[in-house]
Amino acid sequence: MATPEDLESIARQEKLSTVKLHASQYIVALVLFILGAGLWRLQILGANSYRVLAEQNRIRKVPVLAPRGRIFDREGRIIVDNYPSVSCYLLREQQKSLDADLPLISAGLHIPIEQIQATIRHYQYAPKYQPIPLKQDITPDEQAFIEAHRSELPELETLEEQRRLYPRDGFMAHLIGYVGEVSENDLNQSRFAFYAPGDVVGKSGIEEAYDEILRGTDGSRDVIVNSHGKELGVMGQELATPGKDIRLTIDLDVQMAAEKALEGKTGAIVAMDPHTGEILAMASRPTFDPNEFAVRLSSAYWQTIRDNPDHPMMNKAIQAQLAPGSTFKIIMTLAGLQEGVAQNMHVNCAGGGTFYGHFFACDRHHGAVDIHNAIPYSCDTFYYTLAEKLGIDTIAKYGSEVGIGEKTGIDLPDEAEGVMPSERWKLKTLHDKWYAGETISVGIGQGALEVTPLQLARALGGIASGGHLVRPHVVFPDELTPDELSAIRSTYLGSGDKTIPLTPANWQIITDDMAAVTGPTGTAASAHLDGIDFAGKTGTAQIMSHDALARTNKGHNTEPNAWFVGMAPRRNPDIVVAVLWEHGVWGQYSARLAAQVIDAYVNKQRARAGNVMKLASNTPAATDDTPAGTGASVPYTPQPADDRKATTSPGGGR
């Protein structure tokens, strides 16, 4: 017979079973509710979004890259073009592991597995929908490999694009620049805010300065693909907008003369129209091949460039900052005449002079020297004396007025500003006072003074133009919209256009003295050009002191730099040419290089004028208004430019 305790235990068990049953029922009901809610969310609320995702699984957006704008010279001759190319991209939308496919991809595309893995790591943070550029400019055999393995390698896709085709042998390389893939450092800069990894951008020169104009706008194609990634059709497309073509101020004929003159040398040549600031030629040596950068730069080529002590990647026309030597004497003469000091100054050159207790040597015993033969003789003793009379701050005033120590504002990246020393400059930069003896060295273009070839061309061209200096540029301003021109000028700041005081009498003295430099007794007599009013100034700049030179083996790299700045004609010139020949020994040698460029320019203008004159003589309405001085039998005088107004300067017209 059951006891009360047994009955109570049985009752508790029955009650517990009932609780378990109800709990189980609630749990089942909750699970069913969650499942039902999930199905409702998937099928009702998420229907549209999942429909879009499903659509994306069968529709692939393929980018259509915009071709970059082409680059032409001033006469419409093409310099930089594009060529059709096919590149291989890696798609990461495929839901499969790539590791197993790497050996096959490596063999078919001739890429080391390690390089593929490095490329994937490089783009690991990029959006998954963005294809990875795996290999550019693939061969027909590699294209056939991809097509033959569509089913096995659906992650590989080919894309047609236009690639840059640059002139061969580094012709105009520094001016043009090159393009390359945007780097991680680039993407951290504000100007690359709208770029993505893998985008191709201008890296230097014109390509960089005018990248936004040349670049264009990419388009896309929506293609239908099957589960293996095979393209079945096109749903729609957004056309790419090609980049804008630009026309440079460069004259290819003058450019070729400059490149030929520099062949086998280290240095730079820049030719400019001083009336307008148009750059007619710009060459730098040694050079590099931008075509090597247009696809994928090899480590071997980059090592060759990087290890070259003459810096092939440097555009020496705007970046080489070196002492100008005696070319600076033109600026010294400007200062001396405008200050009223040099007109009546007479010096007896006995091979040098003592200033502030130190003897400063001259290369010759010139005897009696005044302002009229100081430039043709390039007498250091005369300019030592003039520097002592003027003082460093007066010299710096005139140097700064013609743009020394300041960027010119040319529309090219990474222009150097040089150094125009002064008492204030030394105190600010070196935290030391200026010593009077330092002024003597600056007077002949040595010491702390540093210039670029372009600065010298602009400065001396401006002085020869009666004090009117212009902003150099390599793209015609009328090729740009007002907004584009404003953006360029605000990006590349500099001294711009300006006019400095220069009396007619002083202007005539300076220009006549520069014309005498290429005369029989001048330092550039060997560069004289018959029938051409060719003026200029030589410069031989030491790269180390005499004491330091005595402690070396006096090899090639210790030889002085050879400078020359020349122009034609002597007053209101149509062309000014600056030449830097590193370790070229004497300025007269650089003068011969400038003469080649001047000769090419003048002969082209004469030939063009001759054709115009012949045409006019065969036309019934011909007049006698053709300017004189354009024939080959007379000295070269300013050529009438097409719509260009004559520049007025002290002493009369051009």
Side-chain angles (χ1 to χ4, degrees):
M1 184 173 180
T3 64
E5 291 81 1
D6 294 335
L7 292 174
E8 185 179 351
S9 175
I10 293 171
R12 283 198 303 268
Q13 290 177 358
E14 290 177 352
K15 185 177 181 180
L16 183 60
S17 298
T18 303
V19 172
K20 288 182 177 179
L21 177 61
H22 288 308
S24 299
Q25 290 173 341
Y26 285 128
I27 291 173
V28 171
L30 179 61
V31 170
L32 291 175
F33 175 78
I34 293 173
L35 291 174
L39 289 173
W40 181 77
R41 182 176 62 83
L42 291 173
Q43 296 181 5
I44 305 301
L45 290 182
N48 290 333
S49 61
Y50 285 103
R51 188 180 299 113
V52 171
L53 291 175
E55 192 75 9
Q56 289 178 344
N57 283 334
R58 72 182 188 93
I59 298 177
R60 177 186 301 157
K61 186 175 287 292
V62 178
V64 178
L65 304 182
R68 288 178 74 85
R70 297 170 298 172
I71 302 176
F72 298 86
D73 89 327
R74 66 188 298 117
E75 297 178 1
R77 293 172 289 186
I78 195 160
I79 299 173
V80 179
D81 202 353
N82 301 308
Y83 70 92
S85 171
V86 177
S87 295
C88 176
Y89 284 76
L90 185 67
L91 305 176
R92 294 176 293 171
E93 296 172 319
Q94 301 292 326
Q95 300 299 316
K96 60 176 291 188
S97 173
L98 298 176
D99 293 339
D101 294 338
L102 292 185
L104 181 58
I105 296 174
S106 173
L109 296 181
H110 310 99
I111 311 175
I113 292 178
E114 295 77 13
Q115 182 178 324
I116 299 175
Q117 293 171 331
T119 301
I120 294 173
R121 285 195 301 271
H122 179 71
Y123 290 92
Q124 61 182 330
Y125 298 114
K128 290 293 184 182
Y129 62 81
Q130 179 182 323
I132 296 176
L134 199 57
K135 187 173 184 179
Q136 301 168 334
D137 214 15
I138 62 175
T139 66
D141 288 344
E142 291 167 341
Q143 294 180 49
F145 163 79
I146 294 172
E147 291 298 326
H149 293 80
R150 282 291 184 188
S151 298
E152 303 162 76
L153 303 173
E155 64 268 27
L156 295 185
E157 183 62 84
T158 56
L159 185 64
E160 294 182 359
E161 52 190 333
Q162 297 287 316
R163 295 208 168 274
R164 277 316 215 195
L165 182 61
Y166 295 107
R168 295 178 299 174
D169 303 322
F171 182 84
M172 287 183 67
H174 298 89
L175 175 61
I176 297 169
Y178 63 94
V179 294
E181 185 179 320
V182 64
S183 67
E184 293 181 8
N185 290 335
D186 291 337
L187 293 173
N188 292 328
Q189 301 176 27
S190 58
R191 65 179 286 251
F192 295 101
F194 299 102
Y195 291 78
D199 285 349
V200 173
V201 299
K203 288 289 191 176
S204 70
I206 291 293
E207 292 280 27
E208 179 180 339
Y210 289 89
D211 183 66
E212 292 188 12
I213 297 173
L214 292 167
R215 180 175 167 77
T217 305
D218 293 341
S220 62
R221 290 188 307 123
D222 294 327
V223 300
I224 304 172
V225 296
N226 61 17
S227 59
H228 296 292
K230 184 177 181 180
E231 186 174 320
L232 302 178
V234 179
M235 287 283 292
Q237 64 177 341
E238 180 182 349
L239 297 178
T241 303
K244 180 180 176 181
D245 295 341
I246 58 175
R247 186 167 61 99
L248 304 184
T249 61
I250 296 295
D251 185 323
L252 275 179
D253 298 308
V254 181
Q255 180 72 30
M256 286 189 284
E259 301 266 358
K260 183 178 179 181
L262 267 184
E263 188 174 350
K265 304 172 183 66
T266 299
I269 294 179
V270 59
M272 184 180 77
D273 181 341
H275 303 290
T276 63
E278 296 167 7
I279 299 298
L280 304 173
M282 181 180 286
S284 181
R285 286 292 186 275
T287 187
F288 64 95
D289 186 357
N291 291 295
E292 292 283 347
F293 294 80
V295 182
R296 180 176 291 277
L297 179 65
S298 69
S299 58
Y301 185 77
W302 175 244
Q303 185 174 354
T304 300
I305 292 293
R306 184 192 61 196
D307 296 343
N308 190 323
D310 292 323
H311 309 293
M313 299 297 292
M314 175 189 285
N315 183 354
K316 299 187 179 194
I318 64 172
Q319 294 174 331
Q321 302 179 90
L322 299 167
S326 294
T327 57
F328 190 72
K329 291 174 182 175
I330 301 301
I331 299 172
M332 287 291 298
T333 303
L334 169 71
L337 290 173
Q338 288 296 111
E339 290 292 314
V341 173
Q343 285 87 339
N344 300 314
M345 203 175 95
H346 298 273
V347 171
N348 180 44
C349 174
T354 300
F355 302 89
Y356 305 108
H358 180 76
F359 181 77
F360 291 82
C362 185
D363 64 333
R364 294 185 183 180
H365 291 64
H366 292 106
V369 182
D370 61 18
I371 193 61
H372 299 291
N373 58 14
I375 289 177
Y377 288 171
S378 195
C379 177
D380 287 347
T381 306
F382 183 90
Y383 286 97
Y384 293 149
T385 306
L386 181 58
E388 181 187 38
K389 291 178 179 294
L390 292 174
I392 187 58
D393 285 341
T394 300
I395 296 172
K397 169 191 170 185
Y398 285 90
S400 298
E401 282 188 351
V402 296
I404 306 302
E406 185 178 4
K407 295 180 180 180
T408 66
I410 189 172
D411 47 343
L412 289 173
D414 303 319
E415 180 188 11
E417 60 185 20
V419 174
M420 183 63 248
S422 65
E423 289 189 17
R424 181 179 179 183
W425 167 84
K426 189 175 182 184
L427 188 62
K428 180 179 178 180
T429 58
L430 302 179
H431 309 293
D432 195 6
K433 70 175 184 177
W434 183 267
Y435 294 96
E438 296 176 272
T439 305
I440 307 304
S441 296
V442 173
I444 61 165
Q446 297 279 176
L449 182 66
E450 292 183 350
V451 303
T452 69
L454 180 61
Q455 284 178 327
L456 271 186
R458 177 176 178 268
L460 271 61
I463 293 171
S465 298
H468 180 60
L469 292 90
V470 292
R471 176 195 295 267
H473 54 275
V474 294
V475 172
F476 285 103
D478 58 9
E479 295 277 307
L480 309 174
T481 66
D483 288 343
E484 291 169 345
L485 181 59
S486 176
I488 286 294
R489 290 188 171 174
S490 62
T491 301
Y492 302 106
L493 301 174
S495 50
D497 296 354
K498 65 186 300 187
T499 300
I500 63 171
L502 179 56
T503 68
N506 292 341
W507 179 53
Q508 184 167 345
I509 290 173
I510 295 172
T511 51
D512 285 346
D513 287 356
M514 286 196 293
V517 169
T518 60
T521 61
T523 55
S526 62
H528 176 77
L529 294 172
D530 290 334
I532 297 177
D533 185 16
F534 177 32
K537 183 68 190 80
T538 55
T540 301
Q542 295 176 345
I543 61 175
M544 59 179 64
S545 67
H546 291 292
D547 292 339
L549 182 62
R551 294 192 296 269
T552 69
N553 59 5
K554 300 182 180 180
H556 171 73
N557 289 337
T558 66
E559 297 285 6
N561 294 326
W563 288 89
F564 183 79
V565 181
M567 59 215 65
R570 74 185 73 180
R571 281 188 275 276
N572 290 318
D574 292 329
I575 183 173
V576 57
V577 179
V579 178
L580 163 65
W581 183 355
E582 293 185 43
H583 313 300
V585 185
W586 294 107
Q588 62 176 314
Y589 301 145
S590 287
R592 297 172 190 173
L593 306 187
Q596 297 177 40
V597 179
I598 295 283
D599 190 55
Y601 173 83
V602 171
N603 285 331
K604 180 173 182 176
Q605 301 307 311
R606 285 174 172 170
R608 179 173 293 168
N611 290 336
V612 172
M613 292 171 70
K614 287 179 182 178
L615 180 62
S617 65
N618 294 328
T619 303
T623 67
D624 295 328
D625 294 333
T626 304
T630 56
S633 61
V634 296
Y636 173 70
T637 57
Q639 191 67 33
D642 295 337
D643 301 322
R644 185 173 68 202
K645 295 181 180 179
T647 303
T648 58
S649 295
R654 291 171 49 201

